[in-house]
Amino acid sequence: MKVVFAPSRSVPLVRLLLSFDAGVAGDDRRKPGTQGIMLAMLDEGSNGALGPMSGPQVAREMERLGASFSAAAGLDRTRLGLNVLAPNLAPSLALFADMVRTPAFDSAQLERIRVQALTALAAEATSPQGLAYRALPELLYGPEHPYGLSFSGSGTEAGLKAITQADLQAFHATLRPEEATLFVVGDTSMADILPLLETHLGGWTSKAPAVAKAESATMPPARPERIVFIDRPGAPQSLIVAGAVSPLSGRDDTLALTLANEVFGGGVTSRLNQDLRETKAWSYGASSGFSATARAMPFQLSAPVQSDRTGDSIAAIRALLQAYRGAAPPTQEEIDRARAGIIRSLPGDFETGGALLGSLERNLALGRPDDHVATLPARLAAIPAAAVAAAPVPAPDQLVWVVVGDRASVLPQLQKLGLPIEERPATGPMPAAPPGAAAPGRAPRQ
């Protein structure tokens, strides 16, 4: 296990982030949702060096120490976190080690967590965002691609109902501590923290095969433009979501693309938001972005619009993209404004130890040098307008559209666009496991 340490002595806190090189893309394909249940149960009891502890005992001990635990996964990384008061670092780290190394996976707690997961899954069918982003991954990547299964690992009803204790134990064993990186930020020193880490996490290995990572996946084939319509009877507004697969990954040089998206749809002053919100007043806000993933990045655009302007809004977005890539490329003024916005936001991205922790992990995950942020302003300043204009913002015919709205009022509008339309019910089986409640957030712009 590699350790990365950065001192931060403004407050007596220490933050740890144990990052594994496998995320939601490595979820169990036979029982989707296994990873999410496994992570949710890490603080529901353990049986390690401190002896058997139930979930309530773990919670009380965490509260006594003034510590907090987190377990989550992005598409490419699994993250186990601990925030702790510096004076209580040693006992908190001992508890953390038991939780992550020897979780109990108690059968009674499994049933409780399963019910919670199934309830959250059912709630997606009542949310336009849940419906849209449930459908999108498979539409973009196909069902066999690691990113085509899920964006957040909430699983499927059948998968969640089938998960057993043995499944959780087996999936936990696929975590590869010898390949993980532990990031430490806070009021301590390497001399103080390293012996504690050796005591509690040293020697932790796994003999189980590692899960497949997205890096091994091939580029998904191009998919023809079409609209997938999901009926939500009586909806007063429609949710328009569009997606495409970028030829770039987060490990490529994406600065020109970042500026390009900032001009088109990434900011409040972007063309997309200004047109739909300020000029036409059809939406409270529209945005687009790329997620910095290990393989082909997903481009996602979101625009909740008034129901009677759904078709007009799609036509307007297509026209904006067509103009951006043709007759109206980004201007120098737009690029300068986007560049200044990114650079001026950087100090705010490092106001907390947690923000620093996240930046350190992004550098590792995306293969960036340690001075990535320090050199960012100069590198942004050096990008010419021609490079921004040439960045691969998708063309309209590269998009797959998902529209959630009232069929009676919206479908006739969509039919006038002349695009292929596939209708899906708001309930019933979906072709891919969904994101939890929303799309993957846009990665920090640096």
Side-chain angles (χ1 to χ4, degrees), residues 83-357:
N83 291 351
V84 58
L85 296 169
N88 295 338
L89 178 58
S92 299
L93 189 54
L95 180 58
F96 174 80
D98 272 16
M99 293 164 65
V100 302
R101 294 184 66 166
T102 55
F105 296 129
D106 177 76
S107 58
Q109 298 302 325
L110 169 57
E111 294 313 312
R112 181 175 63 83
I113 298 298
R114 191 198 313 273
V115 169
Q116 292 177 352
L118 287 168
T119 300
L121 195 63
E124 291 179 353
T126 67
S127 161
Q129 290 80 9
L131 290 168
Y133 289 112
R134 180 180 178 90
L136 192 61
E138 183 267 343
L139 293 172
L140 295 182
Y141 291 96
E144 301 304 319
H145 193 281
Y147 295 163
L149 179 65
S150 172
F151 279 161
S152 72
S154 60
T156 62
E157 182 178 358
L160 292 172
K161 287 182 176 179
I163 294 168
T164 66
Q165 283 180 294
D167 294 326
L168 298 176
Q169 292 163 349
F171 197 88
H172 178 266
T174 65
L175 297 177
R176 308 289 293 181
E178 60 270 28
E179 299 175 4
T181 300
L182 180 65
F183 299 90
V184 183
V185 172
D187 188 15
T188 185
S189 67
M190 184 66 89
D192 289 336
I193 190 71
L194 200 55
L196 295 175
L197 297 177
E198 290 286 358
T199 298
H200 299 297
L201 295 173
W204 179 22
T205 60
S206 175
K207 296 180 180 179
V211 299
K213 300 180 179 66
E215 291 94 321
S216 61
T218 58
M219 180 74 179
R223 302 184 185 272
E225 185 180 15
R226 60 176 167 144
I227 297 173
V228 173
F229 177 71
I230 301 174
D231 184 21
R232 197 163 186 261
Q237 69 174 16
S238 299
L239 176 64
I240 298 170
V241 171
V245 177
S246 171
L248 300 179
S249 79
R251 294 175 178 172
D252 294 318
D253 183 352
T254 60
L255 289 185
L257 181 61
T258 297
L259 287 173
N261 179 71
E262 200 70 8
V263 172
F264 174 75
V268 175
T269 61
S270 68
R271 293 186 183 183
L272 176 64
N273 190 63
Q274 287 293 303
D275 186 57
L276 292 187
R277 175 186 168 94
E278 302 298 333
T279 302
K280 295 183 170 67
W282 296 343
S283 173
Y284 285 117
S287 63
S288 68
F290 293 84
S291 296
T293 50
R295 291 291 289 174
M297 299 188 297
F299 168 84
Q300 294 175 97
L301 180 153
S302 176
V305 301
Q306 61 189 68
S307 185
D308 62 342
R309 290 295 189 176
T310 306
D312 291 338
S313 296
I314 292 178
I317 295 169
R318 296 183 82 255
L320 285 171
L321 277 169
Q322 196 67 48
Y324 185 93
R325 290 172 55 94
T331 66
Q332 189 65 53
E333 179 183 359
E334 289 175 314
I335 295 170
D336 289 343
R337 184 170 59 242
R339 184 167 19 225
I342 294 173
I343 293 173
R344 289 169 182 169
S345 72
L346 288 176
D349 290 341
F350 296 91
E351 289 182 335
T352 67
L356 176 57
L357 203 65

